[in-house]
Amino acid sequence: MPPAPGRPTGTVRLRITVLYTGLFLTTGILLVVLVYVLAAHAPLPEIPPAPSPPPAPPAPDGSGAIPQPPAPPPTAAVPEGRIGGQRTIDVQRLLVSSVLALAVMGVASLALGWLVAGRVLRPLATMTATVRRISADDLDRRLAATGPDDELKELADTFDGLLDRLERAFTAQRRFVADASHELRTPLTLQRTTIEVALGDPGATSGSLRDTLRRLLASGEHQNRIIEALLTLARSQQGLDHREEVDLAAVTRTALDADRESPAIRIDAALAPATVAGDPELLARLVVNLLSNAERHNVPGGWVRVSTSSGRDRVVLTVTNSGPAVPPGRAADLLEPFRRLGPARTGDRGLGLGLSIVAAITRAHGGAIDLHPRREGGLQVRVTLPSSAAG
């Protein structure tokens, strides 16, 4: 059972202390054993012979040598067995003293290890207390660790980065739910108003009622498109269940041969084989959304250029269109659900989900998407995916 919040168990601190003390005692025991072995088996030093007395100097008057005091008697030789016994006693005293010193230092190392481990782990306790105060509604808190650039600070900085990503994800989720609710509520409100007006008209004819039903049908179709787009977005965000080899050039050619939204828009295609491993339905949706977005957000008499190419380990799908100018700093906003850049890019048929679905499908296939606003107006969307050979 996990420990209760706010109740320190000290497990890591205790383990560090035990490990530190164990290493100290192991090293100390090895040192004591080494000293004992060296002291017990080292050869005894040889006792040098006693020096002989110097010769007597001659007397100053030449009468002969000056009489010297009698020489001390020679020192008796110490028996070798007595030296060995004394050596054994000294080695035993050294061993006892070393063991006692090691025991005292072991206790001291235990206390010092406990204090040092507590000091080292103190930042972790601060991080733990801060993390416990963080909730889904309070993601703006950060650890903001200070001190030397060590492993603990790196851990705190990494966790702060995780909180940044979580905060952005929660904010995007809340915005998505609010936008999706608004987009779904608008057709419902329109339908309700249309029905109330028809019911409140005492002179309604069969023709006016048919017109009302047509408007309701169109509103229902709009709702259906929103729901299908949301389901596609959710499916692409869940990842891929299976992969097949898909030629983006063939998928793009099929999309170009289908019914177009704006036949007046000129389309130039340069399609080279570009094979990827992925979900055929999602990749087809990616191409269709890019082409539809390029045609929808265009100008009268405008154009669209689409190309596919492949390299050693990646394939590239590029769709460029003329159209209204896109502020460079806001191009990335187009990848968010229901994000539009004003009436010029909204139109009457757009759902605000096209490029967000493209981005989700691209990420699900391990690719990247780049948006580059054109100075003359319009947008270039570049999708890069791993080729089937790289997989």
Side-chain angles (χ1 to χ4, degrees), residues 30 32 74 76 81 84 107 146 190 194 215 229 250 267 273 279 282 333 338 353 371:
L30 292 177
V32 170
V107 175
T146 58
L190 178 61
T194 302
R215 290 196 296 270
I267 294 184
D279 188 308
L282 290 180
D333 294 343
F338 304 111
L353 289 170
L371 275 61

Side-chain angles (χ1 to χ4, degrees), residues 19-33:
L19 177 62
Y20 173 79
T21 306
L23 291 176
F24 175 82
L25 291 177
T26 302
T27 307
I29 291 174
L30 292 177
L31 178 62
V32 170
V33 171

Side-chain angles (χ1 to χ4, degrees), residues 131-304:
V131 170
R132 283 175 179 159
R133 292 193 295 268
I134 296 175
S135 63
D137 299 325
D138 190 23
L139 289 175
D140 58 339
R141 289 179 178 268
R142 296 294 181 270
L143 298 180
T146 58
D149 192 12
D150 54 9
E151 290 81 357
L152 292 179
K153 189 174 186 303
E154 182 181 1
L155 174 63
D157 294 342
T158 302
F159 192 82
D160 286 343
L162 174 63
L163 290 177
D164 290 336
R165 294 190 294 273
L166 284 176
E167 184 178 14
R168 289 194 296 268
F170 272 81
T171 302
Q173 183 187 40
R174 295 189 187 99
R175 185 172 61 244
F176 173 78
V177 171
D179 292 342
S181 301
H182 173 73
E183 294 289 335
L184 292 173
R185 185 171 59 246
T186 300
L188 291 175
T189 303
L190 178 61
Q191 291 175 0
R192 181 183 180 90
T193 303
T194 302
I195 293 174
E196 289 176 349
V197 170
L199 291 176
D201 185 6
T205 63
S206 59
S208 63
L209 291 177
R210 287 192 181 92
D211 292 337
T212 299
L213 292 177
R214 292 191 188 97
R215 290 196 296 270
L216 292 175
L217 183 60
S219 179
E221 288 294 334
H222 182 71
Q223 282 182 294
N224 186 56
R225 290 170 56 205
I226 293 178
I227 293 174
E228 287 183 355
L230 291 175
L231 291 175
T232 303
L233 180 62
R235 178 189 171 192
S236 59
Q237 290 176 339
Q238 291 176 355
L240 303 180
D241 295 332
H242 68 285
R243 292 177 180 266
E244 300 177 14
E245 287 198 356
V246 180
D247 186 3
L248 283 183
V251 173
T252 305
R253 194 174 295 109
T254 301
L256 293 175
D257 293 338
D259 293 336
R260 294 172 50 190
E261 295 187 11
S262 304
I265 301 297
R266 186 181 84 254
I267 294 184
D268 299 324
L271 304 177
T275 305
V276 300
D279 188 308
E281 294 184 6
L282 290 180
L283 290 174
R285 172 59 62 182
L286 180 147
V287 174
V288 169
N289 281 12
L290 284 177
L291 294 176
S292 300
N293 185 78
E295 289 187 66
R296 183 180 301 116
H297 304 295
N298 216 310
V299 293
W303 50 266
V304 174

